[in-house]
Amino acid sequence: MERFVYADNAATTKISKPVLDAMLPYLTEEYGNPSSLYRFGNQAKRAIEKARKEVADVLNADPFEIIFTAGGTEADNWVKEIMRSLKNKGKNHFITSAVEHHALIHSAQRLEKEGFEVTYIPVDREGQINPEDIKKAIRPETGLVSIMFANNEIGTIHPIKEIGAICREAGVLFHTDAVQAAGHIKIDVKEMNIDMLSLSAHKFHGPKGTGAFYCRRGIALNSLIDGGAQERGKRAGTENVAGIVGLGTAIRIANEEMEETTKRVSAMRDRLIDGILEKIPQCRLNGPRENRLPGNCNISFLGIEGESLLLRLDLAGIAASSGSACASSSLDPSHVLLAIGLPHEVAHGSVRLSLSDFNTEEDVDYILEKLPEIVSTLRSMSPLWEAMQKGEVSYDL
Ligand SMILES: *Cc1c(COP(=O)(O)O)cnc(C)c1O
């Protein structure tokens, strides 16, 4: 059989067997409405509250502070809602970073259109944020700071605890998009001074379309969706019971297995990175070696187009991506790669290979076998590569 290697786990992951098993009853026999008064609906209600506790426990939060959403994007959109509610308190300044997911970048742009002022904190060559920059950017009218926990494209893990402490001291709310971090990195909302956080089940072997928004007790929260009294009236609509049960189970398992998974996956990631840099000349690792998501490998291959590389990888049975799934249908280079200072042509030649605990050493071997020959074929057809060989064009790696 032809080999298939799934190396796009930052885009989404495969649902695990125990998660599916936990969900199935709620898609079949346990179909009661959690808001109903009879016992049949009550079982669904209890399943939701069990999942809420599972999510809260992993974050060191209180179940009351967890609101279920339809994924990471929806949770991120709450940030916009909170900024809007702060406006009549004279807070019209929002701080975020230049490397956020589009769920936040586009929310920030919407706020700008509505008259808010937004500061986009820059990052260094490795995608790292300097907390001092945030300290300097905070002004009396700043209402909220939102900085992602870890970057979905280049894997950089940000100093969340420090940033949280700066915000806490300045009396400014702090949100983090932890969609790439939850289930992969230890998160303690109390110790890390996090006021609000977004996470999504399908990034850690849970179902798509289910996420959670953590909001610290005491923070005034407007409702995101009006309707019934579900989710404390903040997010109306009959609950996605099976999805919520899947989220709870997935985050509990991810947390239980985290230490072992991190060790195994980051070892595979390092072997993949080292192998690529060793076998293929003229390429650059994007993102840091340390403080990097366990499964993330993002490489720029000079002289070629990332899109053609992805197509050839696909033909060889390897699923990878050019960075963010949401941006891949557009031809603009990734805003993250531009933010770390890559020239357009180099950003265009970048590919993200993201591993999970479902990958094997054989997967890494297979990528390391196929990738060098594909890159070399593409380079042999590339006018840019030819110009580079003649010394007419050069890039700083
Ligand atoms: C995937 C992702 C999102 C979006 O989550 P969905 O559940 O797919 O809506 C948001 N932020 C980051 C960092 C992500 O990786």
Side-chain angles (χ1 to χ4, degrees):
M1 211 182 84
E2 203 191 314
R3 209 181 159 89
F4 174 63
V5 173
Y6 183 72
D8 201 14
N9 288 281
T12 195
T13 58
K14 182 179 178 176
I15 201 162
S16 74
K17 179 76 169 60
V19 169
L20 180 65
D21 289 345
M23 290 173 70
L24 274 176
Y26 298 95
L27 293 165
T28 51
E29 299 311 314
E30 298 283 349
Y31 55 84
N33 189 319
S35 301
S36 53
L37 289 178
Y38 39 78
R39 272 168 303 160
F40 185 51
N42 236 312
Q43 285 159 8
K45 180 78 189 151
R46 274 207 302 274
I48 291 176
E49 294 319 312
K50 176 169 175 277
R52 201 185 305 282
K53 183 161 185 337
E54 285 171 321
V55 175
D57 284 350
V58 167
L59 300 176
N60 190 22
D62 193 279
F64 175 85
E65 300 170 313
I66 305 298
I67 297 174
F68 292 115
T69 66
T73 300
E74 184 183 304
D76 282 345
N77 270 264
W78 226 310
V79 169
K80 193 165 52 188
E81 222 30 66
I82 292 179
M83 263 323 292
R84 285 171 179 155
S85 69
L86 289 172
K87 194 162 193 175
N88 51 19
K89 291 183 186 152
K91 305 283 188 186
N92 72 336
H93 180 228
F94 174 57
I95 298 175
T96 187
S97 83
V99 293
E100 298 295 313
H101 188 273
H102 281 134
L104 252 146
I105 293 273
H106 290 162
S107 290
Q109 288 169 352
R110 166 92 54 201
L111 287 174
E112 283 186 281
K113 285 199 191 104
E114 292 174 10
F116 287 88
E117 276 192 70
V118 179
T119 301
Y120 298 89
I121 302 292
V123 294
D124 68 14
R125 288 282 285 177
E126 294 192 329
Q128 200 49 273
I129 284 173
N130 181 355
E132 281 303 308
D133 289 343
I134 293 169
K135 198 173 193 167
K136 281 184 221 143
I138 293 177
R139 4 194 248 234
E141 2 20 299
T142 308
L144 180 60
V145 173
S146 178
I147 303 288
M148 72 201 313
F149 205 114
N151 187 269
N152 49 307
E153 293 192 38
I154 58 173
T156 313
I157 300 171
H158 297 140
I160 290 305
K161 185 179 170 178
E162 254 181 283
I163 297 170
I166 287 171
C167 296
R168 194 60 59 89
E169 203 192 312
V172 171
L173 293 174
F174 175 49
H175 166 265
T176 185
D177 172 346
V179 175
Q180 288 290 326
H184 301 278
I185 301 172
K186 205 119 211 77
I187 300 176
D188 182 325
V189 290
K190 293 198 176 72
E191 193 210 78
M192 295 175 161
N193 312 297
I194 297 168
D195 294 316
M196 284 164 272
L197 173 148
S198 308
L199 60 84
S200 177
H202 74 106
K203 304 291 173 84
F204 45 84
H205 305 302
K208 292 167 185 60
T210 315
F213 184 67
Y214 154 79
C215 184
R216 185 167 59 77
R217 197 188 280 272
I219 294 173
L221 189 60
N222 277 4
S223 70
L224 187 70
I225 298 178
D226 293 318
Q230 294 93 349
E231 301 300 292
R232 292 195 275 125
K234 304 298 180 191
R235 200 279 184 189
T238 302
E239 298 89 336
N240 173 6
V241 182
I244 290 170
V245 167
L247 166 59
T249 307
I251 202 163
R252 175 173 48 76
I253 295 175
N255 197 53
E256 284 162 5
E257 297 177 349
M258 191 179 290
E259 209 172 312
E260 213 181 301
T261 307
T262 302
K263 224 166 104 186
R264 200 176 77 80
V265 176
S266 46
M268 284 195 292
R269 170 205 64 194
D270 289 342
R271 196 161 74 79
L272 181 62
I273 292 174
D274 292 336
I276 293 173
L277 295 179
E278 189 188 299
K279 284 170 183 249
I280 307 177
Q282 296 285 304
C283 53
R284 172 188 204 276
L285 172 69
N286 296 313
R289 288 304 295 232
E290 305 291 322
N291 290 323
R292 184 180 192 101
L293 281 173
N296 178 288
C297 166
N298 186 311
I299 310 262
S300 298
F301 300 90
L302 268 60
I304 60 177
E305 291 274 341
E307 273 71 29
S308 8
L309 183 49
L310 290 179
L311 292 177
R312 299 252 172 169
L313 284 171
D314 186 31
L315 288 176
I318 299 167
S321 91
S322 58
S324 149
C326 318
S328 53
S329 53
S330 90
L331 283 176
D332 296 336
S334 140
H335 66 287
V336 175
L337 297 177
L338 296 182
I340 62 171
L342 298 192
H344 278 235
E345 307 88 276
V346 178
H348 264 306
S350 307
V351 163
R352 178 187 70 189
L353 296 148
S354 47
L355 306 174
S356 82
D357 45 333
F358 285 11
N359 286 107
T360 61
E361 295 292 342
E362 288 73 37
D363 290 346
V364 176
D365 291 338
Y366 185 70
I367 299 172
L368 288 175
E369 177 198 323
K370 290 288 169 187
L371 192 56
E373 57 191 53
I374 295 175
V375 169
S376 148
T377 309
L378 288 172
R379 280 178 172 168
S380 71
M381 307 183 308
S382 156
L384 178 59
W385 180 252
E386 198 186 325
M388 284 172 61
Q389 299 317 297
K390 288 185 188 147
E392 293 163 8
V393 190
S394 71
Y395 301 100
D396 217 2
L397 277 178

